[in-house]
Amino acid sequence: MTTTLTRRDFLKSTSAAVATAIVIGYSPRGTLAATSDGDSSLTPFVKIRTDGQIVVIVKHFEMGQGTTTGLPTLVAEELGIELDDIEVEFAPSNAKLYGNQLFGGAQGTGASTAMANSFMQYRKAGAAAREMLLSAAAKAWNVDSLTLDLSNGMIFGDSRKAPISEFVSAASTLEVPTDPRLKSPDTFRLIGNPNTSRRDNQPKINGSARFAMDVQLDNQLVAVVSRSPSFGGTVVSVDSTKARSVPGFVDAVILPAGNGVVVYADDTWAAFQARKAIEIEWDFSQAESRSSSELDSALLALVNTPPSFVAKQDHGLKETSRLIDRAAQTVEAEFFLPWLCHSPMEPLTCTIEPTTDGVKLHDGCQFTSGAHQVLAAVLQVPMEKIEINTLYAGGSFGRRATMTADYIVEAALAFALSDQSRPVKLVWSREDDLSGGAYRPAFAHKVRVGLDTDGRIIAWDHRIAGKPIFKGTPFEQAFVHNGVDHSSVEGVVDTLYGIPGQFVGLTDFKSAITVNWWRSVGHSHTAFVMESMMDILAKASGQDPVAWRLDHLSGDSKDQQRLAGVLRLVAEKSGWNRPSVPGRTRGVAAHKSFGTYAAQVVEISRDTMDSVKIEKVVCAVDCGMAVNPDIVKAQIEGGIGYGIGHVMRNEITFENGSVMQSNYPNYHPLRISDIGAIEVHIMDSRESPTGIGEPGVPPSGPALANAIAVDGLRVTRLPMVSNGVRFA
């Protein structure tokens, strides 16, 4: 059985579970009247104030990936105005207007879909607004609208000119064109312009950008939660006697499910101090009690036994094993990839404010539809009585988009358990984030490959074991088929390499440890294994690693051609075919994820103590049309840093079921000094834009491992610093 469901297919198919259906297009009705404040909304995405100021309504939240620049760029291009002349507002919660078409209509951001979903939608919105303004001016001047033009907020033609503000009211009464005329890519001034910089740089530098952690409402309560030190533990009893001596302490209440105690105080410091003082008795009878050595051994044991589920098979398992056993050469490797935390700079937080007849959520809200539905269900408040004020988020990497909306649920319960007369702000500490989070599951892989006498692959047996992300959730029906959770095997079953005789088996690992998607999801571990194996096999067959990969990307499919294209480009730009600098080695990796093709070459040196220094990373990326090349480069650079930093040092470990890491001193973020230089090359393309927030992550780790293995240790167990590699 071959699993072919992509994340986007999954998201399309789960609309019933997460939101109402979207109205395809950029307008839910024929005309959009002026708003109550006199401003006019020409489309749901473009609002023009009475003074002519253009406001773009951004439906994808901003966590650092650049939506507040990218989406306004599309509108500015079609409206013929400068990007600096646009203001940005985050969209309210309204899935009918602002649903993500690649999420089946749910309003939310993730899976690197923001630009892929919105490219044509926002271009059409800008073009429609332009045509409506020109039509209004043409009617006022009694001329043909085709004789008029709009540039820099002015309408020109028929020997006249006037600011758009004169025509906004009239334009808002017109029917929104269903098929507005789009500008030709040959005329683009902003889309694809490498000199366009981020719009949110200045407010983030001067501190005016408002993040969820910045919310401070009058008379608000701060709530923090004391969670079980071992996953799956429940509260038996609580003694808050000592907490009463903490100034500002208000109350402590057991959560309804018994999985924690919410502590209320008048400020954050008091809440944290009171939480320390509270004494809780826990029941750990159903909790995870194993330490890392036991967890790791159990995972590795699963890939050394027959798999529970078949994810892909060109032959049956017996035939695959027979072919490998009879091969001229057998290559075998076992891999372990640890639990990982998302660890964004801004820990989880949100605030629920009571309104006259409902509530208002202030949050860096990634899955708006999910948050809206959770608040309605927990608080028993009608959907129309709930507002969501989306703010900037200080990173996410998947953490703010959990399927269970865990921190939104906690906030809603904390508000519900209070007297509901005061705003309640839920705050997670860095320690909460590391010890009470939802992790990238640990995974074990075992790969056996048979080669013929010419070094060609004849069969590939690939076993995978790890805790599934989607099983036991509302998304299971859509994303799990024949027992296979696709997030566990993506990047292997759908590899673009032409691999004959491939068998992929999967076994689920059972634990109370909570898991969640992590930046690049399954690709974060499968790419490491696949690209390490491609290097191992290239060496076994006596071939150059780039040539070996290209030989397995020689088909006629566009997918293979585009991955081969970035592989050739990165080889050229890194000087792969030229002798390396003495004392340096290079490693390569290539991978497709989220519709984007990325290839990387990592160059390292070693000092006299054999410590590794990452001198340079060169990346080639094909993400279709790059709307903002500067942001594309920044996202790739960030993805490389995130991916390399985690394979170098990061792991979540356990002792008797409790997380051992607590803060950045023992869960080390990447340092600027860890990578000498990063060079990004973007393939010129007229293809539709694809994802860019995550594709830089998967190839980075294996490219580093392959560079180290040239004349050193072949790393098959992560993190590297715990398994024989020293970094300078």
Side-chain angles (χ1 to χ4, degrees), residues 268-296:
T268 305
W269 177 252
F272 284 150
Q273 294 306 302
R275 183 172 65 173
K276 289 181 182 178
I278 286 172
E279 297 176 352
I280 303 174
E281 180 184 353
W282 296 94
D283 176 5
F284 296 126
S285 60
Q286 302 300 313
E288 176 61 76
S289 61
R290 289 172 288 183
S291 297
S292 284
S293 59
E294 299 168 274
L295 291 166
D296 298 358

Side-chain angles (χ1 to χ4, degrees), residues 199-330:
R199 294 293 316 285
D200 57 359
N201 283 343
Q202 194 61 30
K204 288 179 177 178
I205 290 170
N206 64 29
S208 61
R210 199 159 182 244
F211 291 78
M213 195 63 81
D214 296 326
V215 173
Q216 185 68 36
L217 303 178
D218 291 341
N219 198 35
Q220 77 179 15
L221 280 170
V222 173
V224 298
V225 177
S226 183
R227 302 171 188 85
S228 171
S230 297
F231 291 92
T234 55
V235 178
V236 175
S237 64
V238 178
D239 184 351
S240 56
T241 302
K242 294 179 180 178
R244 295 190 190 109
S245 64
V246 176
F249 169 70
V250 174
D251 200 3
V253 182
I254 299 174
L255 289 171
N259 57 336
V261 176
V262 58
V263 179
Y264 301 91
D266 291 326
D267 57 63
T268 305
W269 177 252
F272 284 150
Q273 294 306 302
R275 183 172 65 173
K276 289 181 182 178
I278 286 172
E279 297 176 352
I280 303 174
E281 180 184 353
W282 296 94
D283 176 5
F284 296 126
S285 60
Q286 302 300 313
E288 176 61 76
S289 61
R290 289 172 288 183
S291 297
S292 284
S293 59
E294 299 168 274
L295 291 166
D296 298 358
S297 296
L299 258 175
L300 288 165
L302 293 178
V303 294
N304 285 284
T305 57
S308 300
F309 309 105
V310 176
K312 178 182 180 180
Q313 59 179 351
D314 295 330
H315 307 294
L317 178 56
K318 288 184 178 180
E319 175 63 12
T320 303
S321 298
R322 187 187 67 82
L323 289 170
I324 294 172
D325 291 341
R326 295 183 179 182
Q329 185 179 2
T330 300

